[in-house]
């Protein structure tokens, strides 16, 4: 059931559901989450079950403010503190050493915990209402089945989990891709997942160089968002340069079938056959991120079998979109 996040009574209803151990579709500025009380083991177990996600893949715990961090983290390095001060509330998740007694199931048994204070006003209202009831953290992975495209509207969430799930509608997500994840448990900041908050912004805020996980030894924490194939629609995704898609379209001529193209330039009229669905790719990376998952879902809904996507420029502002596209194509 979808209820409006603009109605204060519904926000309270959402917080009540969470504190009663139920699941909730929660809007955030990045993507919608499938939320549960992070300290309630059976509620958290429902998340893993509903998503079909392995229970050793840790979930992000969402908090109302920096004040709640010390409830979950046993230690906050100085650079992590700087990052929270600079970017919270916002689309940044920090992995911190976990207090042994807190959120073990949500953390997938890791001795660390991922914490994030989201900036979506409705998410913050829910988190504050939860905190008033003694629910200090809300565990929420993206509200999609394991390996599939993250949801950016309440309707997407409903299409993944059906009518029974309570979903708080907070409109279309602003950012459109998941938060940047920085591991703060290794003495230096490690970028586990790129996002809207960029590498450069993070390095500037904490005055340290970001390390990439490959540079570190093996026992790196599991991050399903970092699995090679992830964020995948049903149709097959292929990344192509503009020259490649133009050549391939020309070769197909009038025989295109069940094909979608997401590109910056519109194909010429003679190439725009009946079997081709074309969509404009924004030239701004943040706008492309905003549209990305909705576009993939839309292509699937149209029943296309193949999606050709123009490879975005190899520049820093496109890092997060390129990352999601490469995984969707894997
Ligand atoms: O924007 C977001 O981060 C969204 C919204 C709902 O907040 N959430 C999200 O959650 O993307 P999820 O579960 O789809 O991705 C979270 C990622 C996973 O790859 C998970 O493995 C990683 O964070 N993660 C969480 N806790 C971790 C930990 N303790 N150590 C390492 N990775 C962790
Ligand atoms: Mg996810």
């Amino acid at each position: 059931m979808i209820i409006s996040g603009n109605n204060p009574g519904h926000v309270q209803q959402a917080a009540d559901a969470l504190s009663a151990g139920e699941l909730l579709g929660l809007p955030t500025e990045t993507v919608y989450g499938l939320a549960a009380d992070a300290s309630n083991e059976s509620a958290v177990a429902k998340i893993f079950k509903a998503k079909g996600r392995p229970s050793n893949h840790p979930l992000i715990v969402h908090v109302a403010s920096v004040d709640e961090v010390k409830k979950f983290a046993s230690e906050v390095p100085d650079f992590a503190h700087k990052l929270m001060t600079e970017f919270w509330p916002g689309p940044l998740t920090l992995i911190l050493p976990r207090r042994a007694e807190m959120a073990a199931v949500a953390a997938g048994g890791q001795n660390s915990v991922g914490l994030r204070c989201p900036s979506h006003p409705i998410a913050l209202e829910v988190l504050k209402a939860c905190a008033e009831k003694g629910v200090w953290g809300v565990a929420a992975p993206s509200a999609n089945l394991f390996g599939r495209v993250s949801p950016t509207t309440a309707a997407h969430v409903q299409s993944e989990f059906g009518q029974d799930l309570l979903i708080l509608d907070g409109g279309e997500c602003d950012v459109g891709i998941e938060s940047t994840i920085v591991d703060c448990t290794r003495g230096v900041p490690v970028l586990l997942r790129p996002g809207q908050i960029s590498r450069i912004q993070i390095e500037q805020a904490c005055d340290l160089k970001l390390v990439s996980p490959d540079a570190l030894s093996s026992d790196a924490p599991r991050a399903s968002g970092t699995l090679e194939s992830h964020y995948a629609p049903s149709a097959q995704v292929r990344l192509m340069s503009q020259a490649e898609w133009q050549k391939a379209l020309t070769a197909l001529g009038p025989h295109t079938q069940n094909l979608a193209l997401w590109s910056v330039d519109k194909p010429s009229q003679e190439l725009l056959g009946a079997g081709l669905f074309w969509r404009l790719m924004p030239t701004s990376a943040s706008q492309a991120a905003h549209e990305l998952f909705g576009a993939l879902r839309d292509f699937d809904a149209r029943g296309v079998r193949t999606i050709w996507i123009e490879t975005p420029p190899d520049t820093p502002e496109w890092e997060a979109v390129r990352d999601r596209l490469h995984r969707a194509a894997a």
Side-chain angles (χ1 to χ4, degrees):
M1 183 177 55
I2 298 180
I3 56 176
S4 166
N6 296 323
N7 176 329
H10 288 167
V11 169
Q12 193 56 49
Q13 186 188 346
D16 291 345
L18 288 172
S19 81
E22 284 160 34
L23 296 184
L24 172 77
L26 174 74
T28 84
E29 74 280 21
T30 56
V31 300
Y32 275 73
L34 183 64
D37 173 357
S39 299
N40 180 332
E41 293 184 9
S42 66
V44 171
K46 289 183 198 167
I47 297 180
F48 288 105
K49 183 152 183 269
K51 271 187 72 101
R53 175 163 168 155
S55 60
N56 61 356
H57 283 219
L59 311 175
I60 295 172
V61 175
H62 297 71
V63 292
S65 75
V66 176
D67 296 341
E68 279 75 44
V69 168
K70 52 187 179 300
K71 294 208 156 63
F72 294 93
S74 56
E75 199 197 314
V76 181
D78 200 37
F79 70 85
H81 218 272
K82 286 184 183 157
L83 292 176
M84 286 183 225
T85 311
E86 181 77 21
F87 299 112
W88 281 10
L92 176 69
T93 297
L94 301 177
I95 310 296
L96 292 162
R98 180 172 61 83
R99 278 187 185 277
E101 71 282 14
M102 291 304 281
V105 177
Q110 315 253 358
N111 52 20
S112 59
V113 61
L115 295 173
R116 166 163 122 80
C117 176
S119 63
H120 194 302
I122 294 172
L124 281 174
E125 281 175 33
V126 172
L127 291 170
K128 285 184 186 137
C130 281
E132 274 166 24
K133 294 165 150 284
V135 173
W136 307 113
V138 169
S142 53
N144 53 276
L145 299 175
F146 184 62
R148 319 254 0 139
V149 176
S150 297
T152 54
T153 67
H156 292 166
V157 180
Q158 192 164 63
S159 74
E160 298 278 320
F161 299 106
Q163 297 282 341
D164 289 348
L165 177 67
L166 185 68
I167 303 165
L168 193 59
D169 192 345
E172 206 175 292
C173 301
D174 264 357
V175 176
I177 55 172
E178 307 82 353
S179 59
T180 306
I181 304 182
V182 177
D183 184 356
C184 304
T185 66
R186 296 166 174 258
V188 287
V190 180
L191 182 66
L192 295 186
R193 182 171 73 185
Q196 188 198 50
I197 295 178
S198 70
R199 201 179 272 279
I200 302 157
Q201 284 176 289
I202 289 165
E203 292 182 342
Q204 278 175 351
C206 65
D207 209 12
L208 286 170
K209 222 79 216 105
L210 256 181
V211 177
S212 102
D214 332 323
L216 297 166
S217 60
S218 61
D219 62 327
R222 274 169 287 265
S224 20
T226 61
L227 293 177
E228 168 117 323
S229 168
H230 214 70
Y231 314 112
S234 304
Q236 217 176 352
V237 176
R238 222 178 119 190
L239 287 173
M240 300 163 102
S241 68
Q242 189 187 77
E244 280 169 337
W245 69 250
Q246 271 177 343
K247 194 169 159 211
L249 259 195
T250 311
L252 279 175
H255 305 297
T256 48
Q257 258 185 347
N258 304 316
L259 177 67
L261 171 66
W262 198 29
S263 63
V264 171
D265 287 306
K266 192 172 182 176
S268 62
Q269 209 50 46
E270 57 270 29
L271 293 179
L272 265 181
L276 174 68
F277 175 73
W278 175 74
R279 178 174 172 134
L280 178 74
M281 179 186 273
T283 50
S284 128
S286 61
Q287 187 57 30
H290 175 76
E291 290 182 24
L292 171 63
F293 291 141
L296 294 178
R297 280 176 186 269
D298 179 49
F299 295 146
D300 265 350
R302 287 167 192 278
V304 305
R305 253 181 270 134
T306 315
I307 305 169
W308 291 352
I309 299 181
E310 189 170 311
T311 316
D314 195 6
T315 53
E317 68 271 23
W318 284 91
E319 181 178 8
V321 172
R322 277 201 315 274
D323 169 79
R324 302 308 190 276
L325 288 176
H326 282 292
R327 292 178 208 288

mmCIF file of all heavy atoms in Angstrom, residues 266-292:
data_model
loop_
_atom_site.group_PDB
_atom_site.id
_atom_site.type_symbol
_atom_site.label_atom_id
_atom_site.label_comp_id
_atom_site.label_asym_id
_atom_site.label_seq_id
_atom_site.Cartn_x
_atom_site.Cartn_y
_atom_site.Cartn_z
ATOM 1 N N LYS A 266 20.287 12.196 -31.469
ATOM 2 C CA LYS A 266 19.173 11.441 -32.028
ATOM 3 C C LYS A 266 19.627 10.775 -33.335
ATOM 4 O O LYS A 266 20.305 11.425 -34.138
ATOM 5 C CB LYS A 266 18.039 12.417 -32.318
ATOM 6 C CG LYS A 266 16.725 11.761 -32.637
ATOM 7 C CD LYS A 266 15.628 12.814 -32.713
ATOM 8 C CE LYS A 266 14.299 12.148 -32.983
ATOM 9 N NZ LYS A 266 13.190 13.098 -32.984
ATOM 10 N N PRO A 267 19.304 9.503 -33.529
ATOM 11 C CA PRO A 267 19.663 8.875 -34.796
ATOM 12 C C PRO A 267 18.925 9.571 -35.948
ATOM 13 O O PRO A 267 17.851 10.130 -35.733
ATOM 14 C CB PRO A 267 19.162 7.433 -34.660
ATOM 15 C CG PRO A 267 18.780 7.254 -33.254
ATOM 16 C CD PRO A 267 18.570 8.602 -32.647
ATOM 17 N N SER A 268 19.500 9.524 -37.127
ATOM 18 C CA SER A 268 18.857 10.167 -38.275
ATOM 19 C C SER A 268 17.495 9.512 -38.544
ATOM 20 O O SER A 268 17.258 8.363 -38.153
ATOM 21 C CB SER A 268 19.742 10.035 -39.510
ATOM 22 O OG SER A 268 19.888 8.664 -39.803
ATOM 23 N N GLN A 269 16.629 10.265 -39.208
ATOM 24 C CA GLN A 269 15.248 9.835 -39.426
ATOM 25 C C GLN A 269 15.165 8.438 -40.051
ATOM 26 O O GLN A 269 14.382 7.604 -39.623
ATOM 27 C CB GLN A 269 14.521 10.877 -40.304
ATOM 28 C CG GLN A 269 13.039 10.966 -40.048
ATOM 29 C CD GLN A 269 12.682 11.108 -38.557
ATOM 30 O OE1 GLN A 269 13.269 11.903 -37.825
ATOM 31 N NE2 GLN A 269 11.738 10.295 -38.097
ATOM 32 N N GLU A 270 16.041 8.175 -41.040
ATOM 33 C CA GLU A 270 15.944 6.874 -41.729
ATOM 34 C C GLU A 270 16.364 5.703 -40.835
ATOM 35 O O GLU A 270 15.969 4.563 -41.067
ATOM 36 C CB GLU A 270 16.703 6.874 -43.072
ATOM 37 C CG GLU A 270 18.180 7.235 -43.020
ATOM 38 C CD GLU A 270 18.404 8.749 -43.176
ATOM 39 O OE1 GLU A 270 17.531 9.557 -42.795
ATOM 40 O OE2 GLU A 270 19.470 9.124 -43.669
ATOM 41 N N LEU A 271 17.174 6.004 -39.769
ATOM 42 C CA LEU A 271 17.578 4.921 -38.856
ATOM 43 C C LEU A 271 16.559 4.697 -37.740
ATOM 44 O O LEU A 271 16.565 3.667 -37.061
ATOM 45 C CB LEU A 271 18.945 5.237 -38.235
ATOM 46 C CG LEU A 271 20.127 5.234 -39.206
ATOM 47 C CD1 LEU A 271 21.415 5.593 -38.486
ATOM 48 C CD2 LEU A 271 20.269 3.892 -39.900
ATOM 49 N N LEU A 272 15.685 5.678 -37.560
ATOM 50 C CA LEU A 272 14.677 5.578 -36.488
ATOM 51 C C LEU A 272 13.512 4.693 -36.929
ATOM 52 O O LEU A 272 12.397 5.158 -37.098
ATOM 53 C CB LEU A 272 14.146 6.965 -36.137
ATOM 54 C CG LEU A 272 14.790 7.710 -34.973
ATOM 55 C CD1 LEU A 272 14.115 9.049 -34.761
ATOM 56 C CD2 LEU A 272 14.757 6.901 -33.682
ATOM 57 N N GLY A 273 13.780 3.411 -37.072
ATOM 58 C CA GLY A 273 12.738 2.491 -37.544
ATOM 59 C C GLY A 273 11.709 2.202 -36.457
ATOM 60 O O GLY A 273 11.872 2.597 -35.303
ATOM 61 N N ALA A 274 10.687 1.488 -36.842
ATOM 62 C CA ALA A 274 9.592 1.184 -35.915
ATOM 63 C C ALA A 274 10.064 0.300 -34.759
ATOM 64 O O ALA A 274 9.504 0.346 -33.673
ATOM 65 C CB ALA A 274 8.456 0.500 -36.671
ATOM 66 N N GLY A 275 11.100 -0.487 -34.992
ATOM 67 C CA GLY A 275 11.553 -1.420 -33.961
ATOM 68 C C GLY A 275 12.558 -0.817 -33.000
ATOM 69 O O GLY A 275 13.103 -1.506 -32.141
ATOM 70 N N LEU A 276 12.807 0.490 -33.152
ATOM 71 C CA LEU A 276 13.791 1.156 -32.293
ATOM 72 C C LEU A 276 13.107 2.172 -31.390
ATOM 73 O O LEU A 276 12.368 3.034 -31.868
ATOM 74 C CB LEU A 276 14.843 1.869 -33.155
ATOM 75 C CG LEU A 276 15.858 2.733 -32.395
ATOM 76 C CD1 LEU A 276 16.784 1.869 -31.545
ATOM 77 C CD2 LEU A 276 16.677 3.584 -33.360
ATOM 78 N N PHE A 277 13.349 2.061 -30.090
ATOM 79 C CA PHE A 277 12.856 3.082 -29.184
ATOM 80 C C PHE A 277 14.044 3.928 -28.746
ATOM 81 O O PHE A 277 15.007 3.428 -28.168
ATOM 82 C CB PHE A 277 12.169 2.459 -27.967
ATOM 83 C CG PHE A 277 11.772 3.495 -26.965
ATOM 84 C CD1 PHE A 277 10.707 4.354 -27.213
ATOM 85 C CD2 PHE A 277 12.498 3.659 -25.787
ATOM 86 C CE1 PHE A 277 10.364 5.348 -26.299
ATOM 87 C CE2 PHE A 277 12.150 4.641 -24.872
ATOM 88 C CZ PHE A 277 11.087 5.484 -25.134
ATOM 89 N N TRP A 278 13.988 5.241 -29.039
ATOM 90 C CA TRP A 278 15.114 6.115 -28.706
ATOM 91 C C TRP A 278 14.761 7.021 -27.540
ATOM 92 O O TRP A 278 13.634 7.498 -27.432
ATOM 93 C CB TRP A 278 15.502 6.969 -29.912
ATOM 94 C CG TRP A 278 16.570 7.964 -29.581
ATOM 95 C CD1 TRP A 278 17.897 7.707 -29.384
ATOM 96 C CD2 TRP A 278 16.396 9.373 -29.365
ATOM 97 N NE1 TRP A 278 18.568 8.862 -29.067
ATOM 98 C CE2 TRP A 278 17.682 9.902 -29.053
ATOM 99 C CE3 TRP A 278 15.296 10.234 -29.410
ATOM 100 C CZ2 TRP A 278 17.874 11.258 -28.777
ATOM 101 C CZ3 TRP A 278 15.507 11.584 -29.137
ATOM 102 C CH2 TRP A 278 16.785 12.080 -28.829
ATOM 103 N N ARG A 279 15.740 7.252 -26.673
ATOM 104 C CA ARG A 279 15.558 8.174 -25.557
ATOM 105 C C ARG A 279 16.800 9.059 -25.443
ATOM 106 O O ARG A 279 17.928 8.575 -25.603
ATOM 107 C CB ARG A 279 15.348 7.371 -24.272
ATOM 108 C CG ARG A 279 15.203 8.231 -23.041
ATOM 109 C CD ARG A 279 14.862 7.374 -21.836
ATOM 110 N NE ARG A 279 14.925 8.194 -20.640
ATOM 111 C CZ ARG A 279 14.013 8.202 -19.679
ATOM 112 N NH1 ARG A 279 12.976 7.408 -19.746
ATOM 113 N NH2 ARG A 279 14.151 8.975 -18.628
ATOM 114 N N LEU A 280 16.569 10.327 -25.169
ATOM 115 C CA LEU A 280 17.661 11.303 -25.076
ATOM 116 C C LEU A 280 18.459 11.113 -23.795
ATOM 117 O O LEU A 280 17.887 11.116 -22.703
ATOM 118 C CB LEU A 280 17.077 12.720 -25.107
ATOM 119 C CG LEU A 280 18.094 13.857 -24.959
ATOM 120 C CD1 LEU A 280 18.899 14.035 -26.238
ATOM 121 C CD2 LEU A 280 17.380 15.166 -24.608
ATOM 122 N N MET A 281 19.783 10.959 -23.924
ATOM 123 C CA MET A 281 20.626 10.915 -22.733
ATOM 124 C C MET A 281 21.063 12.349 -22.392
ATOM 125 O O MET A 281 21.585 13.057 -23.249
ATOM 126 C CB MET A 281 21.874 10.061 -22.957
ATOM 127 C CG MET A 281 22.774 10.039 -21.730
ATOM 128 S SD MET A 281 24.329 9.183 -22.010
ATOM 129 C CE MET A 281 23.839 7.522 -21.638
ATOM 130 N N PRO A 282 20.823 12.784 -21.142
ATOM 131 C CA PRO A 282 21.208 14.150 -20.774
ATOM 132 C C PRO A 282 22.725 14.333 -20.877
ATOM 133 O O PRO A 282 23.480 13.385 -20.664
ATOM 134 C CB PRO A 282 20.757 14.267 -19.322
ATOM 135 C CG PRO A 282 19.778 13.171 -19.108
ATOM 136 C CD PRO A 282 20.176 12.071 -20.033
ATOM 137 N N THR A 283 23.156 15.541 -21.169
ATOM 138 C CA THR A 283 24.595 15.802 -21.234
ATOM 139 C C THR A 283 25.151 16.166 -19.860
ATOM 140 O O THR A 283 26.356 16.297 -19.690
ATOM 141 C CB THR A 283 24.910 16.942 -22.225
ATOM 142 O OG1 THR A 283 24.048 18.037 -21.905
ATOM 143 C CG2 THR A 283 24.681 16.511 -23.654
ATOM 144 N N SER A 284 24.268 16.346 -18.872
ATOM 145 C CA SER A 284 24.744 16.588 -17.510
ATOM 146 C C SER A 284 24.762 15.252 -16.766
ATOM 147 O O SER A 284 23.784 14.489 -16.786
ATOM 148 C CB SER A 284 23.821 17.597 -16.812
ATOM 149 O OG SER A 284 23.383 17.107 -15.566
ATOM 150 N N ALA A 285 25.889 14.975 -16.095
ATOM 151 C CA ALA A 285 26.029 13.692 -15.399
ATOM 152 C C ALA A 285 24.994 13.551 -14.289
ATOM 153 O O ALA A 285 24.430 12.468 -14.091
ATOM 154 C CB ALA A 285 27.440 13.554 -14.827
ATOM 155 N N SER A 286 24.693 14.629 -13.567
ATOM 156 C CA SER A 286 23.746 14.485 -12.454
ATOM 157 C C SER A 286 22.332 14.255 -12.989
ATOM 158 O O SER A 286 21.554 13.494 -12.403
ATOM 159 C CB SER A 286 23.804 15.681 -11.513
ATOM 160 O OG SER A 286 23.475 16.853 -12.194
ATOM 161 N N GLN A 287 22.005 14.868 -14.121
ATOM 162 C CA GLN A 287 20.686 14.620 -14.713
ATOM 163 C C GLN A 287 20.613 13.183 -15.250
ATOM 164 O O GLN A 287 19.594 12.511 -15.118
ATOM 165 C CB GLN A 287 20.401 15.645 -15.829
ATOM 166 C CG GLN A 287 18.997 15.588 -16.409
ATOM 167 C CD GLN A 287 17.896 15.768 -15.356
ATOM 168 O OE1 GLN A 287 18.081 16.449 -14.358
ATOM 169 N NE2 GLN A 287 16.752 15.115 -15.574
ATOM 170 N N ALA A 288 21.706 12.699 -15.838
ATOM 171 C CA ALA A 288 21.725 11.316 -16.331
ATOM 172 C C ALA A 288 21.558 10.339 -15.169
ATOM 173 O O ALA A 288 20.834 9.347 -15.272
ATOM 174 C CB ALA A 288 23.011 11.038 -17.097
ATOM 175 N N ALA A 289 22.220 10.633 -14.033
ATOM 176 C CA ALA A 289 22.080 9.781 -12.846
ATOM 177 C C ALA A 289 20.626 9.783 -12.377
ATOM 178 O O ALA A 289 20.058 8.738 -12.055
ATOM 179 C CB ALA A 289 22.987 10.279 -11.722
ATOM 180 N N HIS A 290 20.030 10.965 -12.376
ATOM 181 C CA HIS A 290 18.642 11.113 -11.941
ATOM 182 C C HIS A 290 17.704 10.234 -12.786
ATOM 183 O O HIS A 290 16.751 9.649 -12.279
ATOM 184 C CB HIS A 290 18.255 12.592 -12.039
ATOM 185 C CG HIS A 290 16.817 12.875 -11.739
ATOM 186 N ND1 HIS A 290 16.322 12.873 -10.458
ATOM 187 C CD2 HIS A 290 15.780 13.161 -12.549
ATOM 188 C CE1 HIS A 290 15.030 13.138 -10.493
ATOM 189 N NE2 HIS A 290 14.676 13.324 -11.756
ATOM 190 N N GLU A 291 17.993 10.138 -14.085
ATOM 191 C CA GLU A 291 17.097 9.397 -14.986
ATOM 192 C C GLU A 291 17.465 7.931 -15.166
ATOM 193 O O GLU A 291 16.648 7.141 -15.663
ATOM 194 C CB GLU A 291 17.130 10.052 -16.388
ATOM 195 C CG GLU A 291 16.463 11.405 -16.418
ATOM 196 C CD GLU A 291 16.477 12.009 -17.823
ATOM 197 O OE1 GLU A 291 16.577 11.266 -18.823
ATOM 198 O OE2 GLU A 291 16.406 13.247 -17.908
ATOM 199 N N LEU A 292 18.701 7.564 -14.812
ATOM 200 C CA LEU A 292 19.249 6.263 -15.213
ATOM 201 C C LEU A 292 18.356 5.055 -14.901
ATOM 202 O O LEU A 292 17.954 4.309 -15.801
ATOM 203 C CB LEU A 292 20.638 6.080 -14.575
ATOM 204 C CG LEU A 292 21.279 4.709 -14.696
ATOM 205 C CD1 LEU A 292 21.536 4.356 -16.154
ATOM 206 C CD2 LEU A 292 22.593 4.674 -13.931
#
